[in-house]
Amino acid sequence: MGRFSIPKLGFVLLCCLAAVTEAAYVKYKDPKLPLGVRIKDLMGRMTLAEKIGQMTQIERTVATPDVMKKYFIGSVLSGGGSVPAPKATPEAWIEMVNAMQKAALSTRLGIPMIYGIDAVHGHNNVDPQLIKKIGAATALEVRATGIPYAFAPCIAVCRDPRWGRCYESYSEDHKIVQLMTEIIPGLQGDLPASSKKGVPFVAGKNKVAACAKHYLGDGGTTKGINENNTVTSLNGLLSIHMPAYLNSISKGVATVMVSYSSWNGVKMHANRDLVTGFLKNKLKFRGFVISDWQGLDRITSPQHANYSYSVEVGVGAGIDMIMVPYNFTEFIDDLTYQVKHNIIPMSRIDDAVKRILRVKFVMGLFENPIADNSLVNHLGSQEHRELAREAVRKSLVLLKNGEAADKPLFPLPKKATKILVAGTHADNLGYQCGGWTITWQGLSGNDLTTGTTILQAIKNTVDPSTQVVYSQNPDTEFVKSGKFSHAIVIVGEPSYAETNGDSLNLTISQPGPDTIYNVCGAVKCVVVLISGRPVVIQPYLSSIDALVAAWLPGTEGQGVADVLFGDYGFTGKLARTWFKTVDQLPMNVGDPHYDPLFPFGFGLTTKPARHN
């Protein structure tokens, strides 16, 4: 017997190893298998609690490791301005995201969670290639903080500038918004030629899952009131607000966010015909549909008045992932009860989970769930700042250039004896950036982030011999006695986001109008408007020599000075109508009574100057 003992032992060991390997091999963890096989295998192993966990998105502040594990949480987000610490480093973000991810991975099936964050882009210049580059840069910067999912782009068609989210919309014209969906392949990567229509696509670790929002008609509400009611026919809804969704889906967008607003009185979060019937069934969208923040609560008025009803109609409408974001036990308990009592069919839960897992598999989250520090150097990189500066230059729109064509003010001379810079927005980085910057509503002042104010940019650009005098709100006497060659007045709107930006009067902030009158009444002046949308300017136009719409240029104020002083020419065109008075609103290109101050598509051009 002795001489057989070693081979016998070897055979036993081999058998054990084979058994262990077989037990360890599960289909859903094998990236070589087809997507459908992996999804089916994983879903076959999941309990109801694990499935509902996948449908639950909670806020960072309540996402403890214990919560992640106990409730099998599928997704976490940062609400507007929700950060691990003030001015948190990318490493701090990565550490936080990875701690949550490790908790998710420690559950029985080890399904990775997906972390989402807002990334807002308004962009006035119609340049699909530039917006694609901006999308790619944004993806790198979001990924640099360990986050693989951005709630962008906003493909709203803003039909009324009184809406506080108008700056998140590319245009009042759906054709421009459609062109700008080119940001999606920038964020997610170029769709492979073999890709099936409607199937989500994310090209690996340097890209993020994108989110087309807010479905549907968010930019068409009455008087531009945020989250309100869009009154239009089905034809109006489909012809104005739907087209960019078709482009987004054809580019492989991973997710779609539902709008708080209603269509003809029906809340979009409860609209099964449009969410399931149209988006999923007709358009063949195969990614997942996500609610907006507390979107289910807001189905009822007052909100959260009947949450179990909201869960029933919201999930029943076809929403797959719920941005709860705080009271997650209530959501999980209500949905579990409704499934167990056949109020919501199991097939609806399976549809939701299949879609969520599809996106996670496609993104490679199962293979690469843990973020690393390899992309940290991309954050705020010089290359990205140059790209932002280019976007600023190209988005400036010149609305007036002197009283007569033969006496243009632009480009301004770099060499002048003394120039005056005035206005509330001349030296305010927070105002340049607007809302959704560092905090939800944005900030005023210069210590929020790194960047260049327009005042600093002017000083950087003019000849060293040119004296630049800055006075925020000078009186007429100061201007008259100053012997200025010319003045640059920089005024506009304060920072705002969402409902806080809703405005029925669309005036520029005080003392902006006074500054315009005091300065422009006494010296040749250029007015630069910093605003998220067209504002009332007609009363001041006759006293202004030259007028520039600079929108919200962000941190790279140097891009404004690049064009004011002729290093580059003005090329931008209005992507939205500039009204004379708010009584005209809503007024959009193609309307029968179209009588704008500056029409859609307007923009004077200049050639770069030949500087000595």
Side-chain angles (χ1 to χ4, degrees), residues 117-413:
I117 196 164
D118 269 293
V120 172
H121 304 277
H123 184 47
N124 185 64
N125 163 62
V126 188
D127 184 337
Q129 288 317 301
L130 182 63
I131 200 77
K132 186 177 178 181
K133 285 183 192 166
I134 289 169
T138 303
L140 275 174
E141 297 220 0
V142 171
R143 276 283 193 175
T145 60
I147 294 171
Y149 179 23
F151 303 133
C154 175
I155 55 170
V157 182
C158 175
R159 304 291 286 174
D160 193 321
R162 292 175 290 188
W163 186 37
R165 304 193 80 157
C166 207
Y167 66 80
E168 296 182 49
S169 159
Y170 295 116
S171 178
E172 71 193 43
D173 180 359
H174 69 82
K175 292 191 284 299
I176 288 180
V177 179
Q178 286 178 271
L179 285 171
M180 301 307 261
T181 59
E182 199 54 20
I183 194 171
I184 292 167
L187 290 163
Q188 298 192 152
D190 286 308
L191 203 60
S194 59
S195 196
K196 276 197 201 133
K197 182 181 187 292
V199 175
F201 176 74
V202 183
K205 287 200 289 186
N206 291 359
K207 297 293 180 183
V208 293
C211 179
K213 65 184 191 181
H214 309 84
Y215 185 85
L216 182 69
D218 50 347
T221 62
T222 304
K223 293 187 180 176
I225 298 169
N226 192 39
E227 305 181 18
N228 207 257
N229 189 23
T230 297
V231 179
T232 184
S233 65
L234 179 63
N235 182 49
L237 191 74
L238 298 186
S239 63
I240 291 171
H241 300 282
M242 185 68 83
Y245 284 91
L246 277 64
N247 297 79
S248 300
I249 291 164
S250 71
K251 290 173 185 184
V253 75
T255 72
V256 170
M257 187 185 291
V258 180
S259 179
Y260 287 130
S261 59
S262 303
W263 172 52
N264 295 340
V266 179
K267 293 273 185 182
M268 279 306 309
H269 276 75
N271 195 321
R272 192 171 191 279
D273 289 345
L274 283 171
V275 176
T276 297
F278 207 93
L279 181 64
K280 291 182 171 183
N281 296 347
K282 191 171 171 104
L283 299 184
K284 301 281 187 278
F285 172 63
R286 294 284 173 265
F288 69 78
V289 176
I290 186 167
S291 82
D292 207 333
W293 176 276
Q294 294 176 337
L296 295 195
D297 306 60
R298 299 188 200 188
I299 288 172
T300 58
S301 182
Q303 63 184 50
H304 203 87
N306 184 347
Y307 194 64
S308 62
Y309 166 78
S310 293
V311 170
E312 183 185 338
V313 295
V315 174
I319 300 171
D320 304 310
M321 184 180 281
I322 310 303
M323 195 184 290
V324 178
Y326 298 118
N327 300 337
F328 55 88
T329 53
E330 183 185 19
F331 167 71
I332 289 168
D333 291 348
D334 281 357
L335 185 54
T336 305
Y337 176 89
Q338 291 176 18
V339 175
K340 286 185 170 168
H341 291 79
N342 297 319
I343 297 164
I344 288 178
M346 196 64 205
S347 59
R348 174 71 275 271
I349 302 300
D350 286 342
D351 171 62
V353 176
K354 184 184 291 184
R355 290 164 176 279
I356 292 163
L357 294 179
R358 183 181 287 129
V359 170
K360 290 182 176 183
F361 278 125
V362 160
M363 292 174 72
L365 266 186
F366 281 78
E367 289 69 54
N368 295 298
I370 301 296
D372 60 38
N373 293 352
S374 63
L375 298 175
V376 164
N377 292 341
H378 288 287
L379 209 70
S381 70
Q382 196 51 41
E383 187 186 347
H384 291 175
R385 289 187 182 278
E386 288 300 328
L387 183 63
R389 185 170 165 182
E390 179 189 351
V392 172
R393 289 195 297 258
K394 289 182 172 175
S395 64
L396 300 177
V397 181
L398 180 56
L399 298 173
K400 184 177 180 180
N401 188 12
E403 290 301 333
D406 59 343
K407 288 185 183 168
L409 258 75
F410 289 116
L412 297 173

Side-chain angles (χ1 to χ4, degrees), residues 285-555:
F285 172 63
R286 294 284 173 265
F288 69 78
V289 176
I290 186 167
S291 82
D292 207 333
W293 176 276
Q294 294 176 337
L296 295 195
D297 306 60
R298 299 188 200 188
I299 288 172
T300 58
S301 182
Q303 63 184 50
H304 203 87
N306 184 347
Y307 194 64
S308 62
Y309 166 78
S310 293
V311 170
E312 183 185 338
V313 295
V315 174
I319 300 171
D320 304 310
M321 184 180 281
I322 310 303
M323 195 184 290
V324 178
Y326 298 118
N327 300 337
F328 55 88
T329 53
E330 183 185 19
F331 167 71
I332 289 168
D333 291 348
D334 281 357
L335 185 54
T336 305
Y337 176 89
Q338 291 176 18
V339 175
K340 286 185 170 168
H341 291 79
N342 297 319
I343 297 164
I344 288 178
M346 196 64 205
S347 59
R348 174 71 275 271
I349 302 300
D350 286 342
D351 171 62
V353 176
K354 184 184 291 184
R355 290 164 176 279
I356 292 163
L357 294 179
R358 183 181 287 129
V359 170
K360 290 182 176 183
F361 278 125
V362 160
M363 292 174 72
L365 266 186
F366 281 78
E367 289 69 54
N368 295 298
I370 301 296
D372 60 38
N373 293 352
S374 63
L375 298 175
V376 164
N377 292 341
H378 288 287
L379 209 70
S381 70
Q382 196 51 41
E383 187 186 347
H384 291 175
R385 289 187 182 278
E386 288 300 328
L387 183 63
R389 185 170 165 182
E390 179 189 351
V392 172
R393 289 195 297 258
K394 289 182 172 175
S395 64
L396 300 177
V397 181
L398 180 56
L399 298 173
K400 184 177 180 180
N401 188 12
E403 290 301 333
D406 59 343
K407 288 185 183 168
L409 258 75
F410 289 116
L412 297 173
K414 289 185 178 180
K415 207 165 187 171
T417 313
K418 187 161 64 160
I419 63 172
L420 172 65
V421 179
T424 44
H425 291 55
D427 191 30
N428 196 311
L429 205 55
Y431 285 169
Q432 279 175 215
C433 292
W436 290 109
T437 305
I438 311 298
T439 66
W440 178 37
Q441 292 296 327
L443 296 161
S444 173
N446 290 335
D447 62 350
L448 70 162
T449 186
T450 308
T452 308
T453 67
I454 300 172
L455 173 65
Q456 188 56 53
I458 291 167
K459 290 177 175 175
N460 295 346
T461 308
V462 295
D463 189 88
S465 67
T466 303
Q467 189 187 346
V468 178
V469 176
Y470 169 59
S471 172
Q472 188 171 305
N473 186 29
D475 59 29
T476 313
E477 208 41 55
F478 176 87
V479 183
K480 278 182 176 163
S481 61
K483 295 182 179 164
F484 297 108
S485 311
H486 58 265
I488 302 171
V489 177
I490 306 158
V491 290
E493 293 189 295
S495 300
Y496 56 79
E498 298 194 50
T499 306
N500 285 7
D502 284 1
S503 169
L504 293 176
N505 56 24
L506 292 177
T507 49
I508 57 178
S509 313
Q510 285 293 356
D514 295 342
T515 310
I516 293 173
Y517 282 131
N518 291 348
V519 176
C520 297
V523 68
K524 198 168 284 258
C525 83
V526 168
V527 172
V528 178
L529 284 176
I530 305 295
S531 68
R533 54 195 164 188
V535 288
V536 173
I537 198 70
Q538 191 187 28
Y540 326 116
L541 197 58
S542 58
S543 58
I544 295 170
D545 296 293
L547 178 63
V548 177
W551 313 108
L552 298 171
T555 58

